[in-house]
Amino acid sequence: KWLAITNRKEEWVVLTYEKQALSGTIEVLLRSELPDEFEGTKLYGSLEEDELRQDCKIFRLSNETGHGRITVYQVFSGIELYYNDMHMGYCNQNQATAKNMIEINHCLIGRFECSFGENSCCYMAEGDLSISSMMKKKSNSCFPLNHYHGISIVINLDELLPEVRQIMELLNIDLHYIQKYICEGNRCCIMRANPSIEHIFSELYRVEPRMIAYYLKVKVLELLMFLNQVSLQDYQEERRYFARNQVQTIKKVQEYMTADLRNHYTLQELSEKFEIPLTSMKVCFKGVYGCSIYAYMKSYRMQAATILLRDTSDSITEIAAKMGYDNPSKFSEAFKKEFGELPSEFRKKLSK
């Protein structure tokens, strides 16, 4: 009898403990208050608070290249999620490093250049996912196409509550695996766009505002489960890095070509002028800007033409000449191929 009572008592103690633990875990899942400061804002440099909402903060940033807007949510204590809406060439030229912190980035639109130290750069294209240690020194974050839209998730391993770790253990999420490979190795891994990544992030861009605070918790846990199932070693993209001096040369090539769009240059002329081997120039340009020099300049001219069509009263013939087209019909044909409508139709639509 005494043994039976003792066993029941022990079961009751265990059951009570489990209920308390479960209660604490549920409380963490439901918690959505905002902290006074966000750790991840260090990535962006000087920010100006634009708006405070019940479940998020919105910040603005600007420099001589343009402006940006970030919306930040606290997913759990120690985990923050940022929606990035950038219309600028770069942000934060001197990013601080931080121990035991992981940065995850997903590129939705545009390109994202991460500079690591003084000598190398790597690039994310649309749909790509990167995961890196914030101990890795970044001199700045650049957006080669002058626009970038995506998500950043910052995890401070030292600030995770025991209840959050318990949730992760229940879901078989091994943070030690990610911490050991990424943080202790001070690495950056880039996963190229694939259906699994697209599935996780596409829903984050479409979630309804009324349910976003709780939905983010589910999706971040799903992402961490996914990262536990892949071999991060397979995604360390050494071949995607470009020498800093080579990237600087390529950016000078881009500035030279776009300074006066009436001029056209052959690849050989550019190679000789900037003293860079032809093959290296083509490979590095595509790495930085995501397409060939020819495709980039064609698209750049069409984008510049939309500004003139919108902001000036220049005739289509005059705009065609400024874009380097001697034949207005060829210009209109190229414009329609890029935007699906003629320049005259584009301008008429703006006037309505």
Side-chain angles (χ1 to χ4, degrees), residues 195-213:
S196 297
I197 295 172
E198 199 275 337
H199 165 73
I200 293 171
F201 282 92
S202 63
E203 295 174 344
L204 283 171
Y205 296 109
R206 296 197 303 263
V207 61
E208 294 181 23
R210 62 184 177 83
M211 59 185 289
I212 191 168

mmCIF file of all heavy atoms in Angstrom, residues 195-213:
data_model
loop_
_atom_site.group_PDB
_atom_site.id
_atom_site.type_symbol
_atom_site.label_atom_id
_atom_site.label_comp_id
_atom_site.label_asym_id
_atom_site.label_seq_id
_atom_site.Cartn_x
_atom_site.Cartn_y
_atom_site.Cartn_z
ATOM 1 N N PRO A 195 12.878 24.437 -54.147
ATOM 2 C CA PRO A 195 11.467 24.398 -53.722
ATOM 3 C C PRO A 195 11.265 24.424 -52.210
ATOM 4 O O PRO A 195 10.286 25.004 -51.729
ATOM 5 C CB PRO A 195 10.956 23.079 -54.327
ATOM 6 C CG PRO A 195 11.837 22.844 -55.516
ATOM 7 C CD PRO A 195 13.189 23.358 -55.107
ATOM 8 N N SER A 196 12.162 23.813 -51.442
ATOM 9 C CA SER A 196 12.015 23.785 -49.985
ATOM 10 C C SER A 196 12.137 25.182 -49.399
ATOM 11 O O SER A 196 11.340 25.589 -48.545
ATOM 12 C CB SER A 196 13.076 22.869 -49.362
ATOM 13 O OG SER A 196 12.902 21.541 -49.785
ATOM 14 N N ILE A 197 13.129 25.934 -49.858
ATOM 15 C CA ILE A 197 13.312 27.302 -49.377
ATOM 16 C C ILE A 197 12.131 28.168 -49.811
ATOM 17 O O ILE A 197 11.605 28.967 -49.034
ATOM 18 C CB ILE A 197 14.638 27.889 -49.908
ATOM 19 C CG1 ILE A 197 15.833 27.111 -49.331
ATOM 20 C CG2 ILE A 197 14.759 29.376 -49.568
ATOM 21 C CD1 ILE A 197 17.172 27.483 -49.938
ATOM 22 N N GLU A 198 11.713 28.000 -51.060
ATOM 23 C CA GLU A 198 10.599 28.795 -51.588
ATOM 24 C C GLU A 198 9.327 28.537 -50.795
ATOM 25 O O GLU A 198 8.568 29.460 -50.479
ATOM 26 C CB GLU A 198 10.382 28.452 -53.068
ATOM 27 C CG GLU A 198 9.585 29.490 -53.846
ATOM 28 C CD GLU A 198 8.082 29.303 -53.727
ATOM 29 O OE1 GLU A 198 7.647 28.170 -53.433
ATOM 30 O OE2 GLU A 198 7.336 30.289 -53.908
ATOM 31 N N HIS A 199 9.098 27.287 -50.418
ATOM 32 C CA HIS A 199 7.901 26.934 -49.652
ATOM 33 C C HIS A 199 7.884 27.642 -48.292
ATOM 34 O O HIS A 199 6.865 28.209 -47.890
ATOM 35 C CB HIS A 199 7.837 25.424 -49.438
ATOM 36 C CG HIS A 199 6.867 25.014 -48.372
ATOM 37 N ND1 HIS A 199 5.507 25.067 -48.548
ATOM 38 C CD2 HIS A 199 7.070 24.578 -47.096
ATOM 39 C CE1 HIS A 199 4.909 24.673 -47.436
ATOM 40 N NE2 HIS A 199 5.828 24.375 -46.537
ATOM 41 N N ILE A 200 9.004 27.629 -47.596
ATOM 42 C CA ILE A 200 9.071 28.228 -46.256
ATOM 43 C C ILE A 200 8.873 29.737 -46.323
ATOM 44 O O ILE A 200 8.078 30.314 -45.575
ATOM 45 C CB ILE A 200 10.413 27.886 -45.581
ATOM 46 C CG1 ILE A 200 10.493 26.381 -45.290
ATOM 47 C CG2 ILE A 200 10.574 28.675 -44.269
ATOM 48 C CD1 ILE A 200 11.868 25.912 -44.829
ATOM 49 N N PHE A 201 9.578 30.403 -47.244
ATOM 50 C CA PHE A 201 9.581 31.861 -47.239
ATOM 51 C C PHE A 201 8.422 32.487 -47.998
ATOM 52 O O PHE A 201 8.000 33.596 -47.669
ATOM 53 C CB PHE A 201 10.922 32.385 -47.764
ATOM 54 C CG PHE A 201 12.011 32.305 -46.734
ATOM 55 C CD1 PHE A 201 12.830 31.199 -46.659
ATOM 56 C CD2 PHE A 201 12.203 33.335 -45.818
ATOM 57 C CE1 PHE A 201 13.828 31.116 -45.696
ATOM 58 C CE2 PHE A 201 13.195 33.265 -44.859
ATOM 59 C CZ PHE A 201 14.011 32.150 -44.795
ATOM 60 N N SER A 202 7.901 31.816 -49.007
ATOM 61 C CA SER A 202 6.817 32.427 -49.788
ATOM 62 C C SER A 202 5.630 32.765 -48.894
ATOM 63 O O SER A 202 4.975 33.800 -49.066
ATOM 64 C CB SER A 202 6.375 31.487 -50.916
ATOM 65 O OG SER A 202 5.846 30.278 -50.385
ATOM 66 N N GLU A 203 5.357 31.920 -47.922
ATOM 67 C CA GLU A 203 4.226 32.155 -47.021
ATOM 68 C C GLU A 203 4.493 33.317 -46.069
ATOM 69 O O GLU A 203 3.566 33.991 -45.631
ATOM 70 C CB GLU A 203 3.914 30.871 -46.253
ATOM 71 C CG GLU A 203 3.426 29.748 -47.174
ATOM 72 C CD GLU A 203 3.253 28.429 -46.457
ATOM 73 O OE1 GLU A 203 3.773 28.286 -45.337
ATOM 74 O OE2 GLU A 203 2.592 27.538 -47.017
ATOM 75 N N LEU A 204 5.766 33.569 -45.758
ATOM 76 C CA LEU A 204 6.112 34.690 -44.876
ATOM 77 C C LEU A 204 5.846 36.040 -45.540
ATOM 78 O O LEU A 204 5.601 37.035 -44.864
ATOM 79 C CB LEU A 204 7.586 34.604 -44.470
ATOM 80 C CG LEU A 204 7.914 33.576 -43.383
ATOM 81 C CD1 LEU A 204 9.422 33.430 -43.222
ATOM 82 C CD2 LEU A 204 7.277 33.941 -42.060
ATOM 83 N N TYR A 205 5.901 36.066 -46.873
ATOM 84 C CA TYR A 205 5.646 37.321 -47.592
ATOM 85 C C TYR A 205 4.156 37.558 -47.822
ATOM 86 O O TYR A 205 3.763 38.663 -48.184
ATOM 87 C CB TYR A 205 6.375 37.315 -48.935
ATOM 88 C CG TYR A 205 7.882 37.279 -48.805
ATOM 89 C CD1 TYR A 205 8.606 36.137 -49.142
ATOM 90 C CD2 TYR A 205 8.589 38.387 -48.333
ATOM 91 C CE1 TYR A 205 9.982 36.100 -49.019
ATOM 92 C CE2 TYR A 205 9.968 38.348 -48.205
ATOM 93 C CZ TYR A 205 10.664 37.205 -48.545
ATOM 94 O OH TYR A 205 12.025 37.174 -48.407
ATOM 95 N N ARG A 206 3.339 36.524 -47.597
ATOM 96 C CA ARG A 206 1.913 36.653 -47.903
ATOM 97 C C ARG A 206 1.006 36.602 -46.674
ATOM 98 O O ARG A 206 -0.199 36.751 -46.802
ATOM 99 C CB ARG A 206 1.486 35.528 -48.856
ATOM 100 C CG ARG A 206 2.140 35.550 -50.230
ATOM 101 C CD ARG A 206 1.370 34.672 -51.205
ATOM 102 N NE ARG A 206 1.258 33.306 -50.738
ATOM 103 C CZ ARG A 206 2.050 32.319 -51.118
ATOM 104 N NH1 ARG A 206 3.033 32.559 -51.982
ATOM 105 N NH2 ARG A 206 1.885 31.093 -50.676
ATOM 106 N N VAL A 207 1.577 36.386 -45.501
ATOM 107 C CA VAL A 207 0.767 36.191 -44.296
ATOM 108 C C VAL A 207 -0.064 37.434 -43.970
ATOM 109 O O VAL A 207 0.388 38.564 -44.148
ATOM 110 C CB VAL A 207 1.670 35.816 -43.092
ATOM 111 C CG1 VAL A 207 2.668 36.913 -42.799
ATOM 112 C CG2 VAL A 207 0.834 35.517 -41.862
ATOM 113 N N GLU A 208 -1.280 37.225 -43.503
ATOM 114 C CA GLU A 208 -2.175 38.326 -43.154
ATOM 115 C C GLU A 208 -1.693 39.012 -41.878
ATOM 116 O O GLU A 208 -1.261 38.345 -40.937
ATOM 117 C CB GLU A 208 -3.597 37.804 -42.945
ATOM 118 C CG GLU A 208 -4.250 37.267 -44.202
ATOM 119 C CD GLU A 208 -5.676 36.794 -43.934
ATOM 120 O OE1 GLU A 208 -6.269 37.268 -42.947
ATOM 121 O OE2 GLU A 208 -6.168 35.964 -44.708
ATOM 122 N N PRO A 209 -1.762 40.341 -41.819
ATOM 123 C CA PRO A 209 -1.277 41.089 -40.651
ATOM 124 C C PRO A 209 -1.883 40.645 -39.329
ATOM 125 O O PRO A 209 -1.204 40.610 -38.309
ATOM 126 C CB PRO A 209 -1.674 42.539 -40.980
ATOM 127 C CG PRO A 209 -1.731 42.584 -42.465
ATOM 128 C CD PRO A 209 -2.234 41.243 -42.882
ATOM 129 N N ARG A 210 -3.159 40.264 -39.320
ATOM 130 C CA ARG A 210 -3.828 39.935 -38.057
ATOM 131 C C ARG A 210 -3.282 38.660 -37.419
ATOM 132 O O ARG A 210 -3.466 38.429 -36.217
ATOM 133 C CB ARG A 210 -5.342 39.796 -38.273
ATOM 134 C CG ARG A 210 -5.744 38.694 -39.226
ATOM 135 C CD ARG A 210 -7.244 38.665 -39.480
ATOM 136 N NE ARG A 210 -7.613 37.653 -40.441
ATOM 137 C CZ ARG A 210 -7.797 36.375 -40.144
ATOM 138 N NH1 ARG A 210 -7.660 35.973 -38.890
ATOM 139 N NH2 ARG A 210 -8.142 35.505 -41.078
ATOM 140 N N MET A 211 -2.603 37.809 -38.191
ATOM 141 C CA MET A 211 -2.093 36.560 -37.634
ATOM 142 C C MET A 211 -0.571 36.447 -37.708
ATOM 143 O O MET A 211 -0.003 35.423 -37.341
ATOM 144 C CB MET A 211 -2.732 35.366 -38.359
ATOM 145 C CG MET A 211 -2.487 35.320 -39.859
ATOM 146 S SD MET A 211 -3.372 33.965 -40.685
ATOM 147 C CE MET A 211 -2.459 32.544 -40.084
ATOM 148 N N ILE A 212 0.093 37.529 -38.111
ATOM 149 C CA ILE A 212 1.528 37.433 -38.376
ATOM 150 C C ILE A 212 2.355 37.141 -37.127
ATOM 151 O O ILE A 212 3.317 36.369 -37.169
ATOM 152 C CB ILE A 212 2.043 38.712 -39.085
ATOM 153 C CG1 ILE A 212 3.463 38.474 -39.602
ATOM 154 C CG2 ILE A 212 1.985 39.935 -38.156
ATOM 155 C CD1 ILE A 212 3.945 39.547 -40.555
ATOM 156 N N ALA A 213 2.015 37.735 -35.980
ATOM 157 C CA ALA A 213 2.823 37.575 -34.777
ATOM 158 C C ALA A 213 2.986 36.108 -34.393
ATOM 159 O O ALA A 213 4.070 35.676 -33.981
ATOM 160 C CB ALA A 213 2.206 38.365 -33.624
#
